[in-house]
Amino acid sequence: MGERLEREFEAVRKKMEETATRLGMDHPEVHRLSKRLDRLHNQMLWERKALMEVPRRGRDRFYRIRRYSYYLRETSEGCG
């Protein structure tokens, strides 16, 4: 699904740039494409976040910062 979103994102981005060049940045069609691009970008971020989260183990939480990178460890200090 991620590849499909990336292709759609790039297609909408290219169309928005072409439309802005042809009609101007303030045109309603450019604004509509920009909103669509924002929605696609948010969807991509949510999907990436879901892939990058590591399941909770006990009281400690682990979060992957980037794919194939180091782990950041959050611990609960002073909690029962």
Side-chain angles (χ1 to χ4, degrees):
M1 182 181 257
E3 291 179 21
R4 180 194 63 79
L5 274 176
E6 288 180 23
R7 284 193 307 268
E8 187 176 355
F9 181 86
E10 285 303 315
V12 172
R13 184 191 59 77
K14 185 176 180 180
K15 185 174 183 177
M16 184 182 74
E17 287 178 354
E18 292 169 353
T19 306
T21 301
R22 195 175 69 249
L23 302 175
M25 292 290 290
D26 294 331
H27 195 275
E29 179 65 13
V30 175
H31 183 69
R32 186 187 67 77
L33 289 169
S34 176
K35 286 176 126 179
R36 183 172 172 205
L37 201 60
D38 288 344
R39 284 192 301 272
L40 287 170
H41 186 248
N42 288 338
Q43 190 174 356
M44 287 169 55
L45 291 176
W46 276 105
E47 286 185 9
R48 286 183 185 160
K49 181 180 184 247
L51 290 174
M52 292 172 23
E53 286 183 351
V54 176
R56 187 175 173 176
R57 297 180 185 167
R59 291 186 178 209
D60 297 337
R61 294 182 187 164
F62 295 87
Y63 301 94
R64 192 175 305 176
I65 297 171
R66 284 188 217 120
R67 190 181 274 178
Y68 311 115
S69 68
Y70 299 100
Y71 287 94
L72 176 68
R73 183 175 179 186
E74 179 184 302
T75 59
S76 351
E77 293 184 28
C79 295

Coordinates of all heavy atoms in Angstrom, one line a residue:
M1 N 0.8 -1.2 0.0 CA 0.0 0.0 0.0 C 0.9 1.3 0.0 O 0.5 2.3 -0.6 CB -0.9 0.0 1.2 CG -1.9 1.2 1.2 SD -3.0 1.2 2.6 CE -4.4 0.7 1.8
G2 N 2.0 1.2 0.6 CA 2.9 2.4 0.7 C 3.3 2.9 -0.6 O 3.4 4.1 -0.9
E3 N 3.7 1.9 -1.5 CA 4.2 2.3 -2.8 C 3.0 3.0 -3.6 O 3.3 4.0 -4.4 CB 4.7 1.1 -3.6 CG 5.9 0.5 -3.0 CD 6.4 -0.7 -3.7 OE1 6.0 -0.9 -4.9 OE2 7.2 -1.5 -3.1
R4 N 1.8 2.5 -3.5 CA 0.7 3.1 -4.2 C 0.5 4.5 -3.7 O 0.3 5.4 -4.5 CB -0.6 2.3 -4.0 CG -1.8 2.9 -4.7 CD -3.1 2.3 -4.2 NE -3.4 2.6 -2.8 CZ -3.9 3.8 -2.3 NH1 -4.1 4.7 -3.2 NH2 -4.1 3.9 -1.1
L5 N 0.6 4.7 -2.4 CA 0.4 6.1 -1.9 C 1.5 7.0 -2.4 O 1.3 8.2 -2.7 CB 0.4 6.1 -0.3 CG -0.9 5.8 0.3 CD1 -0.7 5.7 1.8 CD2 -1.9 6.8 0.0
E6 N 2.8 6.5 -2.4 CA 3.9 7.3 -2.8 C 3.7 7.7 -4.3 O 4.0 8.9 -4.7 CB 5.2 6.6 -2.6 CG 5.6 6.5 -1.2 CD 6.9 5.8 -1.0 OE1 7.7 5.7 -1.9 OE2 7.1 5.3 0.1
R7 N 3.2 6.8 -5.1 CA 3.0 7.1 -6.6 C 1.9 8.2 -6.7 O 2.0 9.1 -7.5 CB 2.7 5.8 -7.3 CG 3.9 5.0 -7.6 CD 3.5 3.9 -8.7 NE 2.3 3.1 -8.3 CZ 2.4 2.0 -7.6 NH1 3.5 1.5 -7.2 NH2 1.3 1.3 -7.4
E8 N 0.8 8.0 -5.9 CA -0.3 8.9 -6.0 C 0.2 10.3 -5.5 O -0.2 11.3 -6.1 CB -1.5 8.4 -5.2 CG -2.7 9.2 -5.3 CD -3.9 8.7 -4.6 OE1 -3.8 7.6 -4.0 OE2 -4.9 9.4 -4.6
F9 N 0.9 10.3 -4.4 CA 1.5 11.5 -3.9 C 2.3 12.3 -4.9 O 2.1 13.5 -5.1 CB 2.3 11.2 -2.6 CG 2.9 12.4 -1.9 CD1 2.1 13.1 -1.0 CD2 4.1 12.9 -2.2 CE1 2.6 14.2 -0.4 CE2 4.7 14.0 -1.6 CZ 3.9 14.7 -0.7
E10 N 3.2 11.6 -5.6 CA 4.0 12.3 -6.6 C 3.2 12.7 -7.8 O 3.5 13.8 -8.3 CB 5.1 11.3 -7.0 CG 6.2 11.2 -6.0 CD 6.9 12.5 -5.7 OE1 7.2 13.3 -6.6 OE2 7.1 12.7 -4.5
A11 N 2.2 12.0 -8.2 CA 1.3 12.4 -9.3 C 0.6 13.6 -8.9 O 0.5 14.6 -9.8 CB 0.4 11.3 -9.7
V12 N 0.0 13.7 -7.7 CA -0.7 14.9 -7.3 C 0.2 16.1 -7.2 O -0.2 17.2 -7.6 CB -1.5 14.6 -6.0 CG1 -2.2 15.9 -5.5 CG2 -2.6 13.5 -6.3
R13 N 1.4 15.9 -6.6 CA 2.3 16.9 -6.5 C 2.7 17.5 -7.8 O 2.7 18.8 -8.0 CB 3.6 16.4 -5.7 CG 4.6 17.6 -5.5 CD 5.9 17.0 -5.0 NE 6.5 16.1 -6.0 CZ 7.2 16.5 -7.1 NH1 7.3 17.8 -7.3 NH2 7.7 15.6 -7.9
K14 N 3.0 16.7 -8.8 CA 3.4 17.1 -10.1 C 2.2 17.9 -10.8 O 2.4 19.0 -11.3 CB 3.7 15.9 -11.0 CG 4.2 16.3 -12.4 CD 4.7 15.1 -13.1 CE 5.2 15.6 -14.5 NZ 5.7 14.4 -15.3
K15 N 1.0 17.4 -10.6 CA -0.2 18.0 -11.2 C -0.4 19.4 -10.5 O -0.7 20.4 -11.2 CB -1.4 17.2 -11.0 CG -2.7 17.8 -11.7 CD -3.8 16.8 -11.6 CE -5.0 17.4 -12.3 NZ -6.2 16.5 -12.3
M16 N -0.2 19.5 -9.2 CA -0.3 20.8 -8.5 C 0.7 21.8 -9.0 O 0.3 22.9 -9.2 CB -0.2 20.6 -7.0 CG -0.4 21.8 -6.2 SD -0.2 21.6 -4.4 CE 1.6 21.5 -4.3
E17 N 1.9 21.4 -9.2 CA 3.0 22.3 -9.7 C 2.6 22.8 -11.1 O 2.8 24.0 -11.3 CB 4.3 21.6 -9.7 CG 4.9 21.4 -8.3 CD 6.3 20.6 -8.4 OE1 6.7 20.2 -9.5 OE2 6.9 20.5 -7.3
E18 N 2.2 21.9 -11.9 CA 1.8 22.3 -13.3 C 0.6 23.2 -13.3 O 0.6 24.2 -14.0 CB 1.5 21.0 -14.1 CG 2.7 20.2 -14.4 CD 2.3 18.8 -15.0 OE1 1.1 18.5 -15.1 OE2 3.3 18.1 -15.4
T19 N -0.4 22.9 -12.5 CA -1.6 23.8 -12.4 C -1.2 25.2 -11.8 O -1.7 26.2 -12.3 CB -2.6 23.1 -11.5 OG1 -2.9 21.8 -12.0 CG2 -3.9 23.9 -11.5
A20 N -0.3 25.2 -10.8 CA 0.1 26.5 -10.2 C 0.9 27.3 -11.2 O 0.7 28.5 -11.3 CB 0.9 26.2 -9.0
T21 N 1.7 26.7 -12.1 CA 2.4 27.4 -13.1 C 1.5 28.0 -14.1 O 1.7 29.1 -14.6 CB 3.5 26.4 -13.8 OG1 4.3 25.9 -12.7 CG2 4.3 27.1 -14.8
R22 N 0.5 27.2 -14.5 CA -0.4 27.6 -15.5 C -1.5 28.6 -15.0 O -1.7 29.6 -15.7 CB -1.1 26.3 -16.1 CG -1.9 26.6 -17.4 CD -2.4 25.3 -18.0 NE -3.6 24.8 -17.2 CZ -3.5 23.7 -16.4 NH1 -2.5 22.9 -16.4 NH2 -4.6 23.3 -15.7
L23 N -2.0 28.4 -13.8 CA -3.2 29.2 -13.4 C -2.8 30.2 -12.3 O -3.6 31.1 -12.0 CB -4.3 28.3 -12.9 CG -4.9 27.3 -13.9 CD1 -5.9 26.4 -13.3 CD2 -5.5 28.1 -15.1
G24 N -1.7 30.0 -11.6 CA -1.3 30.8 -10.5 C -1.5 30.2 -9.2 O -2.4 29.3 -9.0
M25 N -0.7 30.6 -8.2 CA -0.8 29.9 -6.9 C -2.1 30.1 -6.1 O -2.5 29.3 -5.3 CB 0.3 30.5 -6.0 CG 1.7 30.1 -6.4 SD 2.1 28.4 -6.2 CE 2.2 28.3 -4.4
D26 N -2.8 31.2 -6.4 CA -4.1 31.5 -5.7 C -5.3 30.9 -6.3 O -6.4 31.1 -5.9 CB -4.3 33.0 -5.6 CG -3.2 33.6 -4.8 OD1 -2.7 33.0 -3.8 OD2 -2.9 34.8 -5.0
H27 N -5.2 30.1 -7.4 CA -6.3 29.5 -8.1 C -6.9 28.4 -7.2 O -6.2 27.6 -6.5 CB -5.9 28.9 -9.4 CG -7.0 28.6 -10.3 ND1 -7.7 27.4 -10.2 CD2 -7.6 29.3 -11.3 CE1 -8.7 27.4 -11.1 NE2 -8.6 28.6 -11.8
P28 N -8.3 28.3 -7.1 CA -9.0 27.3 -6.3 C -8.5 25.9 -6.6 O -8.5 25.0 -5.7 CB -10.4 27.5 -6.6 CG -10.5 28.9 -7.1 CD -9.2 29.2 -7.8
E29 N -8.2 25.6 -7.9 CA -7.8 24.2 -8.2 C -6.5 23.9 -7.6 O -6.3 22.7 -7.1 CB -7.7 24.1 -9.8 CG -7.3 22.7 -10.2 CD -8.2 21.6 -9.9 OE1 -9.4 21.8 -9.5 OE2 -7.8 20.4 -10.0
V30 N -5.6 24.8 -7.5 CA -4.3 24.6 -6.8 C -4.5 24.4 -5.3 O -3.9 23.5 -4.7 CB -3.3 25.8 -7.0 CG1 -2.0 25.6 -6.2 CG2 -3.0 26.0 -8.5
H31 N -5.4 25.1 -4.8 CA -5.8 25.0 -3.3 C -6.4 23.6 -3.1 O -6.0 22.9 -2.1 CB -6.7 26.1 -2.9 CG -7.1 26.0 -1.5 ND1 -6.2 26.3 -0.5 CD2 -8.2 25.7 -0.8 CE1 -6.8 26.2 0.7 NE2 -8.0 25.8 0.5
R32 N -7.3 23.1 -4.0 CA -7.9 21.8 -3.8 C -6.8 20.7 -3.9 O -6.8 19.8 -3.1 CB -8.9 21.6 -4.9 CG -9.7 20.3 -4.8 CD -10.6 20.1 -6.0 NE -9.9 19.8 -7.2 CZ -9.3 18.6 -7.5 NH1 -9.4 17.6 -6.6 NH2 -8.7 18.4 -8.6
L33 N -5.9 20.8 -4.9 CA -4.8 19.8 -5.0 C -3.9 19.8 -3.8 O -3.4 18.8 -3.4 CB -4.1 20.1 -6.3 CG -4.8 19.7 -7.6 CD1 -4.0 20.3 -8.8 CD2 -5.0 18.2 -7.7
S34 N -3.7 21.0 -3.3 CA -2.8 21.1 -2.1 C -3.5 20.4 -0.9 O -2.8 19.7 -0.1 CB -2.6 22.6 -1.7 OG -1.8 22.7 -0.6
K35 N -4.8 20.6 -0.7 CA -5.5 19.9 0.4 C -5.4 18.3 0.2 O -5.2 17.6 1.1 CB -6.9 20.3 0.4 CG -7.1 21.7 1.0 CD -8.5 22.1 1.0 CE -9.0 22.5 2.3 NZ -10.4 22.9 2.3
R36 N -5.6 17.9 -1.1 CA -5.5 16.5 -1.4 C -4.1 16.0 -1.1 O -3.9 14.9 -0.5 CB -5.8 16.2 -2.8 CG -5.9 14.8 -3.2 CD -6.4 14.6 -4.6 NE -6.2 13.2 -5.1 CZ -6.2 12.9 -6.3 NH1 -6.3 13.8 -7.3 NH2 -6.0 11.6 -6.6
L37 N -3.1 16.7 -1.4 CA -1.7 16.4 -1.1 C -1.5 16.3 0.4 O -0.8 15.3 0.8 CB -0.8 17.4 -1.8 CG 0.7 17.0 -2.0 CD1 0.7 15.8 -3.0 CD2 1.4 18.2 -2.6
D38 N -2.0 17.2 1.1 CA -1.9 17.1 2.6 C -2.5 15.8 3.2 O -1.9 15.2 4.0 CB -2.6 18.3 3.2 CG -1.8 19.6 3.0 OD1 -0.6 19.5 2.7 OD2 -2.4 20.7 3.2
R39 N -3.7 15.5 2.7 CA -4.4 14.3 3.1 C -3.5 13.0 2.8 O -3.4 12.1 3.7 CB -5.7 14.1 2.5 CG -6.8 15.1 3.2 CD -8.2 14.7 2.8 NE -8.4 14.8 1.3 CZ -8.8 15.9 0.6 NH1 -9.0 17.0 1.3 NH2 -8.9 15.8 -0.7
L40 N -3.0 13.0 1.6 CA -2.1 11.8 1.2 C -0.9 11.8 2.1 O -0.4 10.7 2.5 CB -1.7 11.9 -0.3 CG -2.8 11.6 -1.3 CD1 -2.3 12.0 -2.7 CD2 -3.2 10.2 -1.2
H41 N -0.3 12.9 2.3 CA 0.9 13.0 3.2 C 0.6 12.5 4.6 O 1.4 11.7 5.2 CB 1.5 14.4 3.2 CG 2.8 14.5 3.9 ND1 2.9 15.2 5.1 CD2 4.0 14.1 3.6 CE1 4.2 15.1 5.5 NE2 4.9 14.4 4.6
N42 N -0.5 13.0 5.2 CA -0.9 12.5 6.5 C -1.1 11.0 6.5 O -0.7 10.3 7.5 CB -2.1 13.2 7.0 CG -1.8 14.7 7.3 OD1 -0.7 15.0 7.6 ND2 -2.9 15.5 7.3
Q43 N -1.7 10.5 5.5 CA -2.0 9.0 5.4 C -0.6 8.3 5.4 O -0.5 7.2 6.0 CB -2.8 8.7 4.2 CG -3.3 7.3 4.2 CD -4.3 7.1 3.0 OE1 -4.7 8.0 2.3 NE2 -4.7 5.8 2.9
M44 N 0.3 8.8 4.6 CA 1.6 8.1 4.5 C 2.3 8.2 5.8 O 2.9 7.2 6.2 CB 2.5 8.9 3.4 CG 2.0 8.6 2.0 SD 2.8 9.6 0.8 CE 4.6 9.4 1.1
L45 N 2.2 9.3 6.5 CA 2.9 9.4 7.8 C 2.3 8.4 8.8 O 3.0 7.8 9.6 CB 2.8 10.8 8.4 CG 3.6 11.8 7.6 CD1 3.4 13.2 8.2 CD2 5.1 11.5 7.7
W46 N 0.9 8.3 8.8 CA 0.3 7.3 9.7 C 0.7 5.9 9.4 O 0.9 5.1 10.3 CB -1.2 7.4 9.6 CG -1.8 8.5 10.5 CD1 -2.2 9.8 10.1 CD2 -1.9 8.5 11.9 NE1 -2.6 10.5 11.2 CE2 -2.4 9.8 12.3 CE3 -1.6 7.6 12.9 CZ2 -2.6 10.1 13.6 CZ3 -1.8 7.9 14.2 CH2 -2.3 9.2 14.6
E47 N 0.8 5.6 8.1 CA 1.2 4.2 7.8 C 2.6 3.9 8.2 O 3.0 2.9 8.7 CB 1.0 4.0 6.3 CG -0.4 3.8 5.9 CD -0.6 3.4 4.5 OE1 0.4 3.1 3.8 OE2 -1.8 3.4 4.0
R48 N 3.5 4.9 8.0 CA 4.9 4.7 8.4 C 5.0 4.6 9.9 O 5.8 3.8 10.4 CB 5.8 5.9 7.9 CG 6.0 5.9 6.4 CD 6.9 7.0 6.0 NE 7.0 7.0 4.6 CZ 7.4 8.0 3.9 NH1 7.7 9.2 4.4 NH2 7.5 7.9 2.5
K49 N 4.2 5.4 10.6 CA 4.3 5.3 12.1 C 3.8 4.0 12.6 O 4.4 3.4 13.5 CB 3.3 6.4 12.7 CG 3.3 6.4 14.2 CD 2.4 7.5 14.7 CE 2.5 7.5 16.2 NZ 1.4 7.1 16.9
A50 N 2.8 3.4 11.9 CA 2.3 2.1 12.3 C 3.4 1.0 12.1 O 3.6 0.1 12.8 CB 1.1 1.7 11.5
L51 N 4.2 1.2 11.0 CA 5.3 0.2 10.7 C 6.4 0.4 11.6 O 7.2 -0.6 11.9 CB 5.7 0.4 9.2 CG 4.8 0.0 8.2 CD1 5.3 0.4 6.8 CD2 4.5 -1.5 8.2
M52 N 6.7 1.6 12.1 CA 7.9 1.9 12.9 C 7.7 1.6 14.4 O 8.6 1.5 15.2 CB 8.3 3.3 12.7 CG 8.8 3.5 11.3 SD 9.2 5.2 10.8 CE 9.5 6.1 12.2
E53 N 6.5 1.5 14.9 CA 6.2 1.3 16.3 C 6.6 -0.2 16.7 O 6.3 -1.1 16.0 CB 4.8 1.6 16.7 CG 4.5 3.0 16.8 CD 3.1 3.3 17.2 OE1 2.3 2.4 17.3 OE2 2.8 4.5 17.4
V54 N 7.2 -0.3 17.8 CA 7.6 -1.6 18.4 C 6.7 -1.9 19.5 O 6.4 -1.0 20.3 CB 9.1 -1.6 18.8 CG1 9.5 -2.9 19.4 CG2 10.0 -1.2 17.7
P55 N 6.2 -3.1 19.7 CA 5.2 -3.4 20.7 C 5.8 -3.1 22.1 O 7.0 -3.2 22.3 CB 5.0 -4.9 20.6 CG 5.5 -5.3 19.2 CD 6.5 -4.3 18.8
R56 N 4.9 -2.8 23.0 CA 5.3 -2.4 24.4 C 5.8 -3.7 25.2 O 5.1 -4.7 25.0 CB 4.1 -1.8 25.1 CG 4.4 -1.3 26.5 CD 3.3 -0.6 27.0 NE 3.6 -0.2 28.4 CZ 2.8 0.5 29.1 NH1 1.6 0.9 28.7 NH2 3.1 0.8 30.4
R57 N 6.8 -3.6 25.9 CA 7.3 -4.7 26.7 C 7.4 -4.3 28.2 O 8.2 -3.5 28.6 CB 8.7 -5.1 26.2 CG 8.8 -5.6 24.8 CD 10.2 -5.9 24.4 NE 10.2 -6.2 23.0 CZ 11.3 -6.3 22.3 NH1 12.5 -6.1 22.9 NH2 11.3 -6.6 21.1
G58 N 6.5 -4.9 28.9 CA 6.4 -4.6 30.4 C 6.1 -3.1 30.6 O 5.2 -2.6 29.9
R59 N 6.9 -2.4 31.4 CA 6.7 -1.0 31.6 C 7.5 -0.1 30.7 O 7.3 1.1 30.7 CB 7.0 -0.7 33.1 CG 6.1 -1.3 34.1 CD 6.4 -0.8 35.4 NE 5.4 -1.3 36.4 CZ 5.1 -0.7 37.5 NH1 5.6 0.4 37.8 NH2 4.2 -1.3 38.3
D60 N 8.4 -0.7 30.0 CA 9.3 0.1 29.1 C 8.6 0.2 27.7 O 8.0 -0.8 27.2 CB 10.6 -0.6 28.9 CG 11.4 -0.6 30.2 OD1 11.1 0.2 31.1 OD2 12.3 -1.5 30.4
R61 N 8.8 1.3 27.1 CA 8.3 1.4 25.7 C 9.5 1.7 24.8 O 10.4 2.4 25.1 CB 7.4 2.7 25.6 CG 6.1 2.5 26.4 CD 5.3 3.7 26.2 NE 4.1 3.5 27.1 CZ 3.3 4.5 27.4 NH1 3.6 5.7 26.9 NH2 2.3 4.3 28.2
F62 N 9.5 1.1 23.6 CA 10.5 1.3 22.6 C 9.9 1.9 21.4 O 8.9 1.5 20.9 CB 11.2 -0.1 22.2 CG 11.9 -0.7 23.4 CD1 11.2 -1.5 24.3 CD2 13.2 -0.5 23.6 CE1 11.9 -2.1 25.3 CE2 13.9 -1.1 24.7 CZ 13.2 -1.9 25.5
Y63 N 10.6 2.9 20.8 CA 10.1 3.5 19.6 C 11.3 3.5 18.6 O 12.4 3.9 18.9 CB 9.7 5.0 19.9 CG 8.6 5.1 20.9 CD1 8.9 5.4 22.2 CD2 7.3 5.0 20.5 CE1 7.9 5.5 23.1 CE2 6.3 5.2 21.4 CZ 6.6 5.4 22.7 OH 5.6 5.5 23.7
R64 N 11.0 3.1 17.4 CA 12.0 3.2 16.4 C 12.0 4.6 15.8 O 10.9 5.1 15.4 CB 11.7 2.2 15.3 CG 12.9 2.0 14.3 CD 12.7 0.9 13.4 NE 12.4 -0.3 14.0 CZ 12.0 -1.4 13.4 NH1 12.0 -1.5 12.1 NH2 11.8 -2.5 14.0
I65 N 13.1 5.3 15.7 CA 13.1 6.7 15.2 C 13.1 6.6 13.7 O 12.3 7.4 13.1 CB 14.4 7.4 15.7 CG1 14.4 7.5 17.3 CG2 14.5 8.7 15.1 CD1 15.6 7.9 17.9
R66 N 13.9 5.9 13.1 CA 13.9 5.7 11.7 C 14.0 4.2 11.4 O 14.5 3.5 12.2 CB 15.0 6.4 11.0 CG 14.9 7.9 10.9 CD 16.0 8.5 10.1 NE 16.4 9.7 10.7 CZ 17.5 10.0 11.2 NH1 18.5 9.2 11.1 NH2 17.8 11.2 11.8
R67 N 13.5 3.8 10.2 CA 13.6 2.4 9.8 C 15.1 2.0 9.9 O 16.0 2.7 9.4 CB 13.1 2.3 8.4 CG 12.9 0.8 8.0 CD 12.4 0.7 6.6 NE 11.0 0.8 6.6 CZ 10.2 0.8 5.5 NH1 10.8 0.8 4.4 NH2 8.9 0.9 5.6
Y68 N 15.4 0.9 10.5 CA 16.7 0.3 10.6 C 17.7 1.2 11.4 O 18.8 1.4 11.1 CB 17.3 0.0 9.3 CG 16.4 -0.8 8.4 CD1 15.9 -0.2 7.2 CD2 15.9 -2.0 8.8 CE1 15.0 -0.9 6.4 CE2 15.0 -2.7 8.0 CZ 14.6 -2.2 6.8 OH 13.8 -2.8 6.0
S69 N 17.2 1.9 12.4 CA 18.0 2.8 13.2 C 18.1 2.4 14.6 O 17.6 1.4 15.0 CB 17.6 4.3 13.0 OG 16.4 4.5 13.6
Y70 N 18.6 3.3 15.4 CA 18.7 3.0 16.9 C 17.4 3.1 17.5 O 16.4 3.7 17.0 CB 19.7 4.1 17.5 CG 21.1 4.0 16.9 CD1 21.5 4.9 16.0 CD2 21.9 3.0 17.3 CE1 22.7 4.8 15.5 CE2 23.2 3.0 16.8 CZ 23.6 3.9 15.9 OH 24.8 3.8 15.3
Y71 N 17.3 2.6 18.8 CA 16.1 2.6 19.5 C 16.2 3.6 20.7 O 17.3 3.8 21.2 CB 15.8 1.3 20.2 CG 15.3 0.3 19.2 CD1 16.2 -0.6 18.5 CD2 14.0 0.2 18.8 CE1 15.7 -1.5 17.6 CE2 13.5 -0.7 17.9 CZ 14.4 -1.6 17.3 OH 13.9 -2.5 16.4
L72 N 15.1 4.3 20.9 CA 15.1 5.2 22.1 C 14.2 4.5 23.1 O 13.2 4.0 22.9 CB 14.3 6.5 21.6 CG 14.1 7.6 22.6 CD1 15.4 8.2 23.1 CD2 13.2 8.6 22.0
R73 N 14.7 4.5 24.3 CA 14.1 3.8 25.4 C 13.5 4.7 26.4 O 14.1 5.6 26.9 CB 15.1 2.8 26.1 CG 14.4 2.0 27.2 CD 15.4 1.0 27.7 NE 14.8 0.3 28.8 CZ 15.4 -0.6 29.5 NH1 16.7 -0.8 29.4 NH2 14.7 -1.2 30.5
E74 N 12.2 4.6 26.7 CA 11.5 5.4 27.7 C 11.2 4.5 28.9 O 10.6 3.4 28.7 CB 10.2 5.9 27.1 CG 9.4 6.7 28.0 CD 8.0 7.1 27.3 OE1 8.1 7.7 26.3 OE2 7.0 6.8 27.9
T75 N 11.6 4.9 30.0 CA 11.3 4.1 31.2 C 10.5 4.9 32.2 O 10.5 6.2 32.2 CB 12.6 3.7 31.9 OG1 13.3 4.9 32.3 CG2 13.5 2.8 31.0
S76 N 9.8 4.2 33.1 CA 9.0 4.9 34.1 C 9.8 4.9 35.4 O 10.0 3.9 35.9 CB 7.6 4.2 34.3 OG 7.4 3.2 33.4
E77 N 10.2 6.1 35.7 CA 11.0 6.2 37.0 C 10.0 6.7 38.1 O 9.3 7.6 37.9 CB 12.1 7.2 36.8 CG 13.1 6.6 35.8 CD 14.3 7.5 35.7 OE1 14.7 8.2 36.7 OE2 15.0 7.5 34.6
G78 N 10.2 6.2 39.3 CA 9.4 6.6 40.4 C 8.0 6.1 40.4 O 7.2 6.6 41.2
C79 N 7.6 5.3 39.5 CA 6.2 4.8 39.5 C 6.2 3.4 40.1 O 7.0 2.5 39.7 CB 5.7 4.7 38.0 SG 5.5 6.3 37.3
G80 N 5.4 3.2 41.0 CA 5.2 2.0 41.8 C 5.6 0.7 41.2 O 6.0 -0.3 41.4

